């Protein structure tokens, strides 16, 4: 293409704008997604003077198109001529920050935050900050909501007069009359606190924080809990008691379970933010209450934090606190009426054993693990089994194996295939810990049964499991216990089972080594090349390609090659294709 | 449709909470079974979230019946009974306080009768006590919802356990509000903004019986307290906006819309800007919500009410619907078509002309939808006499828009019923404007070719642009193209 460089007349703006206006939404969307290409074709000046005004004027479109536009504009700085001109992008993004759809607005704010960094301090005050002010005093709630996300990015880089204005705007929005705006302000409170000077943090933010934390709407109050983490981190320790703790205590006992849930959910962060002393005096009892909350949602959220909370307790009193305050609550949760609470607990409870050590684990935790292993809900049992390695490190798995086994056998036959899948994935670990004999005796049949599961994902996982077992127990073990059974399936009337033989061979050949592969597996594969089902035949071709590198060249030339050549003339096109592929990969042509 | 944002509120992050209380046998079923099989069909019940195990039994001292004491003593006794009824019982514990629960139930029953028939009982003193009793009983934090994805056709609603008392409290409160002696000027000191706000939050209750009572209560309050009207409307706005843009979860949308339907009916003309804004910025976006089917009838009613009040709103309303037209959900598309027909039933011909082009472009897309219910619903418009008359008047505009789609599906739609309907529509068009129809038939092929050519030109343009980007991009990276 001649003279592409600078020859903008090739691409009259009208044509490009037509594309952005196309009647078909999908085409419009495609064009918007390539807006940078259009801008590139127009050059920086025409992008500034023609394209951006067009975009600013025509912002009434499907939200999906607007979303794409908002995203594009965040990366447009170079296309309008660099940081010097970046403020040209503000008008269209300002309009986008006022639309109704949350996703679009959020994206516009994200882009604005991004390009704010590219503004010089002067441009920030001349162009950016006035935009924030306009949004903050907009009529409809959407623009005010968007403004909340912009204060913190411009605050650090403006003069102190402007800073005072920004603080004032933020204060106003925290007391806005629509809850949507208060929620937005509350959710940005933590972020804004981080850029504020400590004095203003104490004089301004704390009163806003207290007010939001006692808002009439629980959806606002719960967001203040999040801010609490940042604020507590920023304040010096000696101020926490007076400035933060009254509010936090109140939140932990809020009448709305949503707020309590939030406290439970943020508990570890809160614990780190307030430090060890307050944790000991205040958070331990609060945590006990959350573990005993009347709502299952809250108990489950708290149960999830048990391990982290205990880990982060100050070392000098950790064991004592856990044994006297936390463990009694945990014991109760083991027999909770709600399965989600129990399963949340089951996912972390094993972690306590490393904290408490061997003796405490055997005396206090083991009964709980065993109780959960026998729980009626499979998810609880699964969570326990999935975390066995933690306990193993502390007391060894033999202790558990007797109680463990019935649970594993039951889960291995669970009606939900995802549960079966999870168990399969733990087999290699268990096998390694239990040893060959125990495994052969108790688990081998299970592993073989999975090979004929009616769900493909299970058969596939079972195949992979066999490979890992062979890697652990060695080729000889494989030859005696696994290979005969696998090869036996080659005569199964069900072609899916016959194919499983091939998949197993693919997985096992390398681990079993040349001898077993050539002498035992290869004949079976070759025999299957005459199978009446085409899928089996082309999988033979794929298997030969896979195991070829393990075989010696003699076997390749005399046994594999003729079979592949025959398959390459098969009537089925897929068989032909894979046979030819195998021939070329194994360089047998 | 763009995925809606979610605030960091925990209520949605809890996929875990579904089916939390269903029976354990449920776990044994494979994950692919139908929802109706998976969910145990048993009535679930819930209670307020405020009970921590209190343990202590509750004792109330039985009082004489109101009718057994002389009339002058009745107001005093009435207040005492109100006081007693402030005690709230835990109904999740079905064994505790049985006697006292029964006593409160009969007392409430007595109070209901008393406010209905008695005269002179409503002393000024009684107002705060009535409101206090009602507040103590009905205002509570609603518990977490068990069904994140509530499907009214599959799921049983969770019922409120304390209903035996709660129902009577609502009943009593409604009788009180409707009583002839009731004086809003006194009551407004106690039934204030805070009261209304808490009342509105209860509309999220999962129990349909409770929402039904709430509807009546709020309607009465709206009718009697002029000073609260603007506030109520504004708060409903907030609930809807939060529902649309933040959580997509609120059980009482249909009930609130029902109240609004009757409120809109009473709006004075010309409509205030506030009301128009409500229509365009709140009611129209409500169409985007996933659970639209739960409240679509009430929503469509509100929209039509607005248009009957002020026909000039037709254009923004239809444009709004077109903007939010469902992209992937055929069931919603059928609902949109139904609503559009309701609007067209009341549209003025002058308004119709303003909107016909974009409108029929959409209808033409619906007619050629591969989902036969969508196509069928759109084609049914041609059975509507009023719509037919509008189409006939404007056939020179509408026919060219519709023709290509109709012509194409008459040849290739998979569903014979649709093809038959399309033939009828084509026939109707032919009778309406045969010259134009013949012209369009004649140019159909060349029009398609022209479209294809345009498509090709577009592709070429983009190819050139991409080449250019590649070259410039390479150059600016300092890499020399090979």
């Amino acid at each position: 293409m001649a003279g592409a460089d600078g020859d903008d007349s090739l691409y009259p703006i009208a044509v490009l704008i037509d594309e952005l206006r196309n009647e078909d939404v999908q085409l419009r969307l495609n064009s918007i997604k390539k807006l940078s290409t259009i801008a590139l074709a127009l050059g920086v000046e025409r992008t500034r003077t023609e394209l951006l005004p067009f975009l600013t004027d025509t912002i009434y479109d499907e939200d999906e198109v607007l979303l794409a536009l908002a995203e594009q504009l965040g990366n447009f700085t170079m296309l309008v001529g660099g940081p010097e001109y970046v403020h040209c992008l503000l008008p269209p993004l300002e309009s986008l920050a006022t639309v109704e759809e949350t996703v679009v607005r959020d994206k516009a704010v994200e882009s604005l935050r991004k390009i704010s960094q590219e503004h010089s301090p002067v441009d920030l005050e001349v162009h950016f900050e006035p935009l924030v002010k306009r949004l903050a005093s907009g009529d409809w709630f959407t623009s005010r909501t968007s403004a909340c996300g912009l204060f913190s990015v411009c605050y650090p880089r403006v003069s102190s007069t402007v800073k005072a204005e920004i603080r004032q705007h933020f204060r106003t929005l925290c007391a806005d009359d629509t809850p949507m705006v208060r929620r937005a302000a509350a959710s940005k409170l933590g972020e804004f606190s981080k850029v504020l000077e400590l004095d203003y943090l104490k004089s301004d933010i704390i009163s806003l924080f207290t007010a939001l934390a006692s808002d009439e709407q629980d959806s606002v109050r719960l967001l203040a809990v999040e801010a609490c983490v940042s604020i507590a981190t920023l304040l010096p320790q000696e101020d926490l008691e007076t400035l933060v703790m009254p509010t936090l205590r109140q939140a932990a006992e809020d009448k709305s379970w949503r707020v309590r849930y939030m406290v439970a959910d943020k508990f570890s962060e809160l614990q780190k933010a307030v430090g060890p002393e307050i944790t000991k005096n205040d958070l331990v009892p609060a945590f006990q209450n959350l573990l005993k909350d009347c709502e299952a949602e809250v108990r489950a959220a708290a149960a999830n934090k048990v391990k982290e909370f205990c880990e982060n307790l100050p070392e000098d009193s950790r064991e004592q606190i856990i044994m006297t305050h936390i463990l009694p609550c945990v014991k109760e949760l083991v027999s909770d009426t709600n399965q989600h609470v129990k399963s949340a607990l089951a996912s972390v409870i094993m972690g306590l054993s490393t904290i408490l050590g061997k003796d405490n684990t055997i005396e206090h935790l083991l009964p709980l693990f065993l109780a959960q292993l026998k729980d009626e809900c499979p998810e609880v049992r699964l969570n326990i089994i999935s975390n066995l390695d933690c306990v193993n490190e502390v007391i060894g798995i033999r202790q558990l194996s007797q109680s463990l086994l019935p649970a594993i056998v039951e889960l291995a036959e669970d009606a939900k295939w995802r549960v079966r899948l999870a168990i399969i994935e733990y087999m290699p670990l268990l096998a390694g810990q239990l040893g060959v004999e125990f495994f052969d005796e108790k688990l081998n049949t299970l592993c073989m049964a999975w090979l004929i599961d009616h769900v493909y994902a299970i058969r596939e996982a079972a195949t992979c499991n066999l490979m890992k077992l062979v890697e652990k127990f060695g080729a000889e073990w494989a030859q005696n216990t696994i290979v005969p059974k696998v090869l036996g399936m080659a005569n199964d009337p069900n072609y899916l089972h016959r194919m499983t033989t091939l998949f197993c061979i693919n997985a096992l050949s390398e681990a079993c080594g040349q001898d077993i592969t050539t002498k035992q597996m290869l004949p079976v594969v070759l025999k299957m090349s005459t199978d009446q089902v085409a899928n089996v035949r082309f999988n033979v071709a794929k298997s030969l390609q896979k195991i070829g590198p393990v075989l010696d060249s003699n076997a390749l030339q005399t046994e594999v090659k003729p079979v592949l050549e025959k398959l390459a003339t098969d009537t089925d096109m897929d068989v032909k294709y894979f046979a030819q592929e195998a021939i070329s990969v194994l360089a047998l042509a | 449709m763009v995925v809606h944002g979610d605030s960091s509120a925990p209520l949605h992050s809890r996929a875990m909470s579904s089916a939390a209380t269903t029976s354990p046998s449920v776990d044994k079923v494979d994950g692919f079974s139908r929802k109706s099989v998976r969910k145990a069909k048993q009535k679930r019940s819930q209670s307020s979230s405020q009970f921590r195990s209190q343990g202590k039994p509750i004792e109330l001292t039985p009082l004489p019946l109101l009718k057994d004491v002389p009339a002058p003593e009745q107001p005093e006794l009435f207040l005492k009974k109100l006081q007693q009824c402030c005690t709230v019982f835990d109904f999740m514990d079905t064994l505790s306080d049985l006697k006292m629960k029964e006593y409160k139930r009969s007392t409430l029953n007595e109070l209901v009768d008393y406010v209905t028939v008695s005269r002179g009982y409503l002393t000024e003193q009684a107002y705060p006590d009535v409101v206090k009793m009602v507040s103590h009983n009905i205002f509570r934090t609603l518990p977490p919802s068990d069904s994140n994805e509530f499907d009214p056709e599959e799921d049983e609603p969770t019922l409120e356990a304390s209903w035996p008392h709660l129902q009577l409290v609502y009943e009593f409160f409604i009788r009180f509000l409707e009583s002839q002696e009731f004086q809003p000027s006194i009551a407004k000191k106690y039934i204030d903004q805070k009261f209304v706000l808490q009342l509105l939050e209860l509309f999220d209750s999962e129990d349909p019986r409770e929402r039904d009572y709430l509807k009546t209560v709020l309607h009465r309050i709206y009718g009697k307290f002029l000073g609260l009207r603007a506030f109520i409307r504004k708060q409903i706005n907030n609930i809807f906006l939060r529902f649309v843009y933040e959580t997509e979860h609120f059980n009482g949308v249909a009930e609130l819309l029902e109240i609004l339907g009757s409120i809109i009916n009473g709006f004075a003309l010309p409509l205030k800007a506030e009301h128009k804004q409500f229509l365009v910025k709140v009611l129209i976006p409500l169409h985007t919500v996933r659970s639209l089917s739960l409240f679509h009838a009430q929503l469509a009613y509100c929209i039509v009410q607005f248009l009957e009040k002020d026909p000039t709103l037709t254009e923004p309303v239809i444009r709004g619907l077109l903007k939010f037209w469902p992209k992937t959900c055929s069931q919603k598309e059928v609902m949109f078509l139904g609503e559009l027909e309701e609007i067209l039933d009341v549209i003025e011909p002058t308004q119709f002309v303003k909107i016909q082009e974009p409108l029929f472009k959409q209808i033409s897309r619906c007619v050629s939808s591969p989902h036969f219910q969508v196509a069928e619903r759109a084609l049914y418009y041609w059975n509507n006499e009023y719509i037919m008359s509008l189409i006939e008047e404007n056939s020179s505009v509408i026919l060219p828009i519709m023709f290509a789609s109709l012509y194409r599906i008459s040849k290739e739609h998979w569903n014979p019923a649709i093809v038959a309907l399309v033939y009828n529509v084509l026939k109707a068009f032919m009778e309406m404007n045969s010259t134009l129809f013949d012209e369009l038939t004649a140019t159909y092929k060349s029009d398609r070719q022209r479209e294809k050519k345009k498509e090709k030109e577009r592709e070429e343009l983009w190819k050139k642009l991409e080449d250019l980007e590649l070259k410039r991009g390479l150059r600016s990276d300092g890499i020399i193209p090979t």
Side-chain angles (χ1 to χ4, degrees), chain B residues 52-106:
Chain B
R52 289 161 186 264
S53 46
Q54 299 162 322
K56 274 180 282 168
I58 297 167
E59 274 306 322
L60 299 175
T61 322
L63 297 169
L65 291 179
L66 281 158
K67 66 175 165 54
D68 293 347
V69 300
E73 290 171 27
Q74 281 181 6
E76 172 88 34
L77 184 58
F78 176 63
L79 295 186
K80 277 191 184 156
K81 292 197 174 224
L82 284 174
Q83 183 59 41
Q84 279 195 330
C85 287
C86 287
T87 314
V88 181
F89 292 89
D90 179 1
F91 273 81
M92 287 311 269
D93 186 345
T94 46
L95 298 174
S96 69
D97 309 308
L98 285 178
K99 234 171 130 186
M100 286 301 120
K101 280 178 186 164
E102 175 52 28
Y103 171 70
K104 180 173 167 184
R105 200 192 58 79
S106 63

Side-chain angles (χ1 to χ4, degrees), chain A residues 374-390:
Chain A
K374 289 185 199 122
D375 198 278
E376 60 180 17
C377 161
E379 210 180 300
V380 176
R381 302 194 299 264
L382 191 63
N383 282 347
I384 290 289
I385 290 177
S386 322
N387 291 296
L388 277 179
D389 40 343
C390 318

Side-chain angles (χ1 to χ4, degrees), chain A residues 29-100:
Chain A
L29 189 60
N30 292 346
S31 311
I32 282 283
K33 284 186 175 158
K34 292 180 193 155
L35 197 62
S36 59
T37 312
I38 294 179
L40 203 64
L42 289 172
V44 292
E45 199 174 326
R46 295 184 66 198
T47 298
R48 289 198 300 268
T49 54
E50 294 174 51
L51 182 62
L52 287 176
F54 164 76
L55 292 172
T56 314
D57 288 345
T58 56
I59 295 184
Y60 177 86
D61 203 331
E62 304 250 350
D63 291 326
E64 248 182 304
V65 178
L66 298 184
L67 175 67
L69 178 60
E71 184 168 13
Q72 287 277 320
L73 291 177
N75 301 316
F76 242 56
T77 309
M78 290 321 287
L79 294 164
V80 292
E84 211 180 319
Y85 295 101
V86 66
H87 60 83
C88 301
L89 298 172
L90 296 178
L93 282 171
E94 181 174 353
S95 319
L96 287 168
T98 63
V99 302
E100 318 292 325

Side-chain angles (χ1 to χ4, degrees), chain A residues 130 249 356 360:
Chain A
R249 277 185 211 115
L356 289 177
N360 280 328

